[in-house]
Amino acid sequence: MNASTGTVETRSGTPAPRSGTIDPKEAAHFGRLAAEWWDPKGESAMLHKLNPVRLAYIRAAIDRHWAEAGAARKPLAGRSAIDVGCGAGLLAEPLARLGARVTGLDAAAENVAAAQAHAEAVGLTIDYRNVDVEKLEGETFDLVTSMEVIEHVTDPAAFVAALERALAPGGLMLLSTPNRTPMSRLMLVEAAERLGQVPRGTHDWHKFLTPDELTGLLTDAGLTVTDTRGIAWDPLKGLHLSDNLALNYLMTVVRS
């Protein structure tokens, strides 16, 4: 992939346009961050603070969805998982440690390379691919995750439809995204980017989806939201799960 254009190069070296919904400019932006993705004090510091909160929600959702999972040391053993928009593997690696056969997709080739290198260094086997979810051919997964991705796509409805096609019968989908509120504009766009917790230019507030908007897209794709929780922030707790959806939220989704 050519990070400056967001295109995939053919064997002849001729650029071929991507066919997925990830904005090429967004892919190039995140590709430039690949080298620092695993640095908790680097430009992706906010993701490192967010990840434990997301993981707590994900583990609870897994335990609710699969009755036998709660007592298991590796609750995803024997199951497949795909993380769409995996970056350098901050979520894919914990899913692998929970026992899943993990596939990670990312539109930035630089992120895929960084993810592969890190997984190899820590002894994990993860199938990382520089492929758009819309291009998966008949593959389905027991667990589908996509964290902080839908706000970066050009066609949210088509993206959700592709996630639905990737979900195996009886499977579980988990999503997270910022809400489009005055609070998220202040905290995620103005404050976080100005303070260096999030790279400048990461967020376009106008592309954020409200819970009602995302629920509508999921319903149209034949999916049902079974739980929604907010990710809030305060000076004492930092980022934490909350009933307050104003900043960011997670959703548990199943096929209708």
Short mmCIF file of all heavy atoms in Angstrom, two decimals, residues 158-201:
data_model
loop_
_atom_site.label_atom_id
_atom_site.label_comp_id
_atom_site.label_asym_id
_atom_site.label_seq_id
_atom_site.Cartn_x
_atom_site.Cartn_y
_atom_site.Cartn_z
N ALA A 158 -22.37 0.96 4.49
CA ALA A 158 -21.68 -0.13 3.78
C ALA A 158 -20.69 -0.82 4.70
O ALA A 158 -20.51 -2.05 4.63
CB ALA A 158 -20.98 0.42 2.54
N PHE A 159 -20.04 -0.05 5.57
CA PHE A 159 -19.10 -0.63 6.52
C PHE A 159 -19.82 -1.57 7.48
O PHE A 159 -19.37 -2.70 7.73
CB PHE A 159 -18.39 0.49 7.28
CG PHE A 159 -17.36 0.02 8.27
CD1 PHE A 159 -16.15 -0.51 7.85
CD2 PHE A 159 -17.61 0.11 9.64
CE1 PHE A 159 -15.19 -0.94 8.77
CE2 PHE A 159 -16.66 -0.31 10.56
CZ PHE A 159 -15.46 -0.84 10.13
N VAL A 160 -20.95 -1.13 8.02
CA VAL A 160 -21.73 -1.98 8.94
C VAL A 160 -22.21 -3.23 8.22
O VAL A 160 -22.19 -4.33 8.79
CB VAL A 160 -22.91 -1.17 9.52
CG1 VAL A 160 -23.91 -2.10 10.21
CG2 VAL A 160 -22.40 -0.13 10.52
N ALA A 161 -22.64 -3.09 6.98
CA ALA A 161 -23.09 -4.27 6.21
C ALA A 161 -21.96 -5.28 6.05
O ALA A 161 -22.18 -6.50 6.13
CB ALA A 161 -23.62 -3.83 4.85
N ALA A 162 -20.74 -4.79 5.85
CA ALA A 162 -19.59 -5.69 5.73
C ALA A 162 -19.28 -6.38 7.06
O ALA A 162 -18.93 -7.56 7.08
CB ALA A 162 -18.37 -4.91 5.23
N LEU A 163 -19.41 -5.65 8.16
CA LEU A 163 -19.23 -6.27 9.48
C LEU A 163 -20.26 -7.38 9.69
O LEU A 163 -19.93 -8.45 10.23
CB LEU A 163 -19.34 -5.22 10.58
CG LEU A 163 -18.28 -4.12 10.64
CD1 LEU A 163 -18.59 -3.16 11.78
CD2 LEU A 163 -16.88 -4.69 10.79
N GLU A 164 -21.48 -7.12 9.28
CA GLU A 164 -22.54 -8.12 9.44
C GLU A 164 -22.22 -9.39 8.65
O GLU A 164 -22.43 -10.50 9.14
CB GLU A 164 -23.89 -7.54 9.00
CG GLU A 164 -25.08 -8.43 9.27
CD GLU A 164 -25.32 -9.49 8.20
OE1 GLU A 164 -24.94 -9.23 7.03
OE2 GLU A 164 -25.88 -10.56 8.52
N ARG A 165 -21.70 -9.23 7.44
CA ARG A 165 -21.36 -10.40 6.62
C ARG A 165 -20.24 -11.21 7.26
O ARG A 165 -20.14 -12.42 7.04
CB ARG A 165 -20.95 -9.96 5.21
CG ARG A 165 -22.09 -9.40 4.38
CD ARG A 165 -21.71 -9.28 2.91
NE ARG A 165 -20.59 -8.38 2.68
CZ ARG A 165 -20.72 -7.07 2.48
NH1 ARG A 165 -21.92 -6.50 2.52
NH2 ARG A 165 -19.65 -6.31 2.25
N ALA A 166 -19.39 -10.55 8.04
CA ALA A 166 -18.26 -11.25 8.68
C ALA A 166 -18.67 -11.97 9.96
O ALA A 166 -17.86 -12.74 10.51
CB ALA A 166 -17.14 -10.25 8.99
N LEU A 167 -19.87 -11.74 10.44
CA LEU A 167 -20.32 -12.31 11.72
C LEU A 167 -20.90 -13.70 11.51
O LEU A 167 -21.85 -13.88 10.74
CB LEU A 167 -21.36 -11.40 12.36
CG LEU A 167 -21.83 -11.77 13.76
CD1 LEU A 167 -20.70 -11.68 14.76
CD2 LEU A 167 -23.00 -10.87 14.19
N ALA A 168 -20.34 -14.69 12.19
CA ALA A 168 -20.81 -16.07 12.08
C ALA A 168 -22.17 -16.21 12.77
O ALA A 168 -22.51 -15.43 13.66
CB ALA A 168 -19.80 -17.02 12.71
N PRO A 169 -22.96 -17.22 12.39
CA PRO A 169 -24.22 -17.49 13.10
C PRO A 169 -23.95 -17.69 14.59
O PRO A 169 -23.02 -18.38 14.98
CB PRO A 169 -24.71 -18.78 12.44
CG PRO A 169 -24.11 -18.76 11.07
CD PRO A 169 -22.75 -18.13 11.24
N GLY A 170 -24.76 -17.03 15.42
CA GLY A 170 -24.58 -17.13 16.85
C GLY A 170 -23.42 -16.32 17.39
O GLY A 170 -23.07 -16.43 18.57
N GLY A 171 -22.83 -15.49 16.54
CA GLY A 171 -21.65 -14.73 16.93
C GLY A 171 -21.96 -13.46 17.70
O GLY A 171 -23.12 -13.10 17.94
N LEU A 172 -20.89 -12.78 18.08
CA LEU A 172 -20.96 -11.58 18.90
C LEU A 172 -20.17 -10.47 18.22
O LEU A 172 -19.06 -10.69 17.75
CB LEU A 172 -20.37 -11.87 20.28
CG LEU A 172 -20.24 -10.71 21.28
CD1 LEU A 172 -21.62 -10.21 21.70
CD2 LEU A 172 -19.44 -11.17 22.49
N MET A 173 -20.75 -9.26 18.19
CA MET A 173 -20.06 -8.09 17.63
C MET A 173 -19.94 -7.02 18.71
O MET A 173 -20.89 -6.77 19.45
CB MET A 173 -20.84 -7.53 16.44
CG MET A 173 -20.16 -6.36 15.74
SD MET A 173 -21.17 -5.66 14.38
CE MET A 173 -21.29 -7.07 13.28
N LEU A 174 -18.77 -6.39 18.78
CA LEU A 174 -18.52 -5.33 19.75
C LEU A 174 -17.93 -4.13 19.03
O LEU A 174 -16.94 -4.26 18.31
CB LEU A 174 -17.58 -5.83 20.84
CG LEU A 174 -18.16 -6.98 21.68
CD1 LEU A 174 -17.07 -7.68 22.47
CD2 LEU A 174 -19.24 -6.47 22.61
N LEU A 175 -18.54 -2.97 19.24
CA LEU A 175 -18.13 -1.75 18.56
C LEU A 175 -17.90 -0.63 19.57
O LEU A 175 -18.50 -0.63 20.65
CB LEU A 175 -19.22 -1.29 17.58
CG LEU A 175 -19.73 -2.31 16.55
CD1 LEU A 175 -20.90 -1.71 15.76
CD2 LEU A 175 -18.61 -2.74 15.63
N SER A 176 -17.05 0.31 19.22
CA SER A 176 -16.94 1.54 20.01
C SER A 176 -16.69 2.70 19.06
O SER A 176 -16.08 2.55 18.00
CB SER A 176 -15.82 1.44 21.05
OG SER A 176 -14.55 1.53 20.46
N THR A 177 -17.16 3.88 19.48
CA THR A 177 -16.99 5.07 18.66
C THR A 177 -17.32 6.30 19.50
O THR A 177 -18.09 6.20 20.47
CB THR A 177 -17.90 5.02 17.41
OG1 THR A 177 -17.54 6.05 16.50
CG2 THR A 177 -19.37 5.14 17.78
N PRO A 178 -16.78 7.47 19.17
CA PRO A 178 -17.17 8.68 19.89
C PRO A 178 -18.60 9.10 19.54
O PRO A 178 -19.07 8.89 18.41
CB PRO A 178 -16.17 9.72 19.40
CG PRO A 178 -15.07 8.96 18.76
CD PRO A 178 -15.69 7.71 18.22
N ASN A 179 -19.27 9.69 20.50
CA ASN A 179 -20.58 10.28 20.28
C ASN A 179 -20.40 11.69 19.71
O ASN A 179 -19.37 12.33 19.93
CB ASN A 179 -21.34 10.33 21.60
CG ASN A 179 -22.84 10.52 21.42
OD1 ASN A 179 -23.32 10.75 20.31
ND2 ASN A 179 -23.57 10.40 22.52
N ARG A 180 -21.39 12.16 18.96
CA ARG A 180 -21.33 13.51 18.40
C ARG A 180 -22.08 14.47 19.33
O ARG A 180 -23.28 14.70 19.18
CB ARG A 180 -21.91 13.55 16.99
CG ARG A 180 -21.60 14.86 16.23
CD ARG A 180 -22.10 14.85 14.81
NE ARG A 180 -23.56 14.87 14.73
CZ ARG A 180 -24.31 13.82 14.40
NH1 ARG A 180 -23.75 12.65 14.12
NH2 ARG A 180 -25.62 13.93 14.34
N THR A 181 -21.35 14.99 20.30
CA THR A 181 -21.93 15.89 21.29
C THR A 181 -20.98 17.05 21.52
O THR A 181 -19.79 16.98 21.17
CB THR A 181 -22.11 15.16 22.64
OG1 THR A 181 -20.81 14.79 23.14
CG2 THR A 181 -22.99 13.93 22.50
N PRO A 182 -21.46 18.13 22.13
CA PRO A 182 -20.55 19.23 22.48
C PRO A 182 -19.40 18.75 23.37
O PRO A 182 -18.27 19.23 23.25
CB PRO A 182 -21.45 20.22 23.20
CG PRO A 182 -22.82 19.97 22.63
CD PRO A 182 -22.88 18.49 22.39
N MET A 183 -19.67 17.79 24.27
CA MET A 183 -18.63 17.28 25.16
C MET A 183 -17.52 16.57 24.38
O MET A 183 -16.33 16.78 24.65
CB MET A 183 -19.23 16.32 26.18
CG MET A 183 -18.21 15.69 27.12
SD MET A 183 -17.34 16.91 28.13
CE MET A 183 -18.66 17.32 29.29
N SER A 184 -17.89 15.74 23.40
CA SER A 184 -16.86 15.04 22.63
C SER A 184 -16.05 16.01 21.78
O SER A 184 -14.85 15.82 21.59
CB SER A 184 -17.49 13.96 21.75
OG SER A 184 -18.24 14.51 20.68
N ARG A 185 -16.70 17.04 21.30
CA ARG A 185 -15.96 18.04 20.52
C ARG A 185 -14.92 18.73 21.38
O ARG A 185 -13.77 18.94 20.97
CB ARG A 185 -16.93 19.06 19.93
CG ARG A 185 -16.27 20.02 18.94
CD ARG A 185 -17.32 20.82 18.19
NE ARG A 185 -16.76 21.41 16.99
CZ ARG A 185 -17.49 21.91 16.00
NH1 ARG A 185 -18.81 21.83 16.05
NH2 ARG A 185 -16.92 22.44 14.95
N LEU A 186 -15.31 19.08 22.61
CA LEU A 186 -14.40 19.76 23.52
C LEU A 186 -13.26 18.84 23.97
O LEU A 186 -12.08 19.22 23.92
CB LEU A 186 -15.18 20.26 24.74
CG LEU A 186 -14.35 20.88 25.86
CD1 LEU A 186 -13.66 22.15 25.37
CD2 LEU A 186 -15.23 21.18 27.07
N MET A 187 -13.62 17.61 24.39
CA MET A 187 -12.64 16.72 25.01
C MET A 187 -11.78 15.97 24.00
O MET A 187 -10.57 15.83 24.19
CB MET A 187 -13.37 15.72 25.91
CG MET A 187 -14.09 16.35 27.09
SD MET A 187 -12.96 17.06 28.29
CE MET A 187 -12.23 15.57 28.97
N LEU A 188 -12.37 15.45 22.93
CA LEU A 188 -11.65 14.59 22.00
C LEU A 188 -10.97 15.36 20.87
O LEU A 188 -9.92 14.94 20.38
CB LEU A 188 -12.59 13.54 21.41
CG LEU A 188 -13.17 12.53 22.40
CD1 LEU A 188 -14.09 11.56 21.68
CD2 LEU A 188 -12.05 11.77 23.12
N VAL A 189 -11.60 16.43 20.44
CA VAL A 189 -11.05 17.17 19.30
C VAL A 189 -10.19 18.34 19.79
O VAL A 189 -9.03 18.49 19.41
CB VAL A 189 -12.16 17.67 18.36
CG1 VAL A 189 -11.55 18.45 17.19
CG2 VAL A 189 -13.00 16.49 17.86
N GLU A 190 -10.76 19.15 20.66
CA GLU A 190 -10.03 20.34 21.11
C GLU A 190 -8.96 19.99 22.14
O GLU A 190 -7.77 20.18 21.91
CB GLU A 190 -11.02 21.37 21.68
CG GLU A 190 -12.06 21.86 20.67
CD GLU A 190 -11.44 22.61 19.51
OE1 GLU A 190 -10.33 23.19 19.68
OE2 GLU A 190 -12.03 22.61 18.42
N ALA A 191 -9.38 19.43 23.28
CA ALA A 191 -8.43 19.21 24.38
C ALA A 191 -7.42 18.11 24.08
O ALA A 191 -6.21 18.32 24.18
CB ALA A 191 -9.20 18.91 25.67
N ALA A 192 -7.90 16.92 23.72
CA ALA A 192 -6.99 15.77 23.55
C ALA A 192 -5.97 16.02 22.44
O ALA A 192 -4.79 15.68 22.60
CB ALA A 192 -7.80 14.51 23.25
N GLU A 193 -6.40 16.61 21.34
CA GLU A 193 -5.46 16.85 20.25
C GLU A 193 -4.49 17.98 20.60
O GLU A 193 -3.31 17.91 20.27
CB GLU A 193 -6.21 17.14 18.95
CG GLU A 193 -6.97 15.92 18.42
CD GLU A 193 -7.45 16.07 16.99
OE1 GLU A 193 -7.04 17.05 16.32
OE2 GLU A 193 -8.23 15.21 16.53
N ARG A 194 -4.98 19.01 21.27
CA ARG A 194 -4.10 20.12 21.63
C ARG A 194 -3.08 19.72 22.69
O ARG A 194 -1.95 20.23 22.71
CB ARG A 194 -4.93 21.31 22.13
CG ARG A 194 -5.73 22.01 21.04
CD ARG A 194 -6.49 23.19 21.59
NE ARG A 194 -7.35 23.79 20.58
CZ ARG A 194 -6.96 24.67 19.68
NH1 ARG A 194 -5.68 25.06 19.67
NH2 ARG A 194 -7.79 25.16 18.79
N LEU A 195 -3.46 18.78 23.57
CA LEU A 195 -2.56 18.34 24.63
C LEU A 195 -1.65 17.21 24.20
O LEU A 195 -0.85 16.70 24.99
CB LEU A 195 -3.38 17.92 25.86
CG LEU A 195 -4.15 19.04 26.56
CD1 LEU A 195 -5.05 18.47 27.65
CD2 LEU A 195 -3.19 20.08 27.14
N GLY A 196 -1.78 16.74 22.97
CA GLY A 196 -0.90 15.71 22.45
C GLY A 196 -1.28 14.30 22.85
O GLY A 196 -0.51 13.36 22.61
N GLN A 197 -2.47 14.11 23.45
CA GLN A 197 -2.92 12.76 23.80
C GLN A 197 -3.44 12.01 22.58
O GLN A 197 -3.49 10.78 22.56
CB GLN A 197 -4.02 12.84 24.86
CG GLN A 197 -3.55 13.35 26.20
CD GLN A 197 -2.53 12.41 26.84
OE1 GLN A 197 -2.83 11.25 27.09
NE2 GLN A 197 -1.33 12.91 27.09
N VAL A 198 -3.85 12.76 21.57
CA VAL A 198 -4.32 12.22 20.30
C VAL A 198 -3.64 13.03 19.20
O VAL A 198 -3.57 14.26 19.30
CB VAL A 198 -5.85 12.33 20.16
CG1 VAL A 198 -6.31 11.84 18.80
CG2 VAL A 198 -6.55 11.54 21.27
N PRO A 199 -3.10 12.39 18.15
CA PRO A 199 -2.43 13.15 17.08
C PRO A 199 -3.36 14.17 16.44
O PRO A 199 -4.56 13.90 16.25
CB PRO A 199 -2.03 12.06 16.08
CG PRO A 199 -1.95 10.82 16.90
CD PRO A 199 -3.01 10.94 17.94
N ARG A 200 -2.83 15.32 16.11
CA ARG A 200 -3.62 16.36 15.45
C ARG A 200 -4.19 15.82 14.14
O ARG A 200 -3.54 15.11 13.39
CB ARG A 200 -2.74 17.58 15.14
CG ARG A 200 -2.22 18.29 16.38
CD ARG A 200 -3.28 19.05 17.11
NE ARG A 200 -3.70 20.26 16.39
CZ ARG A 200 -4.68 21.07 16.81
NH1 ARG A 200 -5.36 20.76 17.90
NH2 ARG A 200 -4.99 22.15 16.12
N GLY A 201 -5.46 16.15 13.91
CA GLY A 201 -6.11 15.74 12.68
C GLY A 201 -6.73 14.35 12.74
O GLY A 201 -7.25 13.86 11.74
#
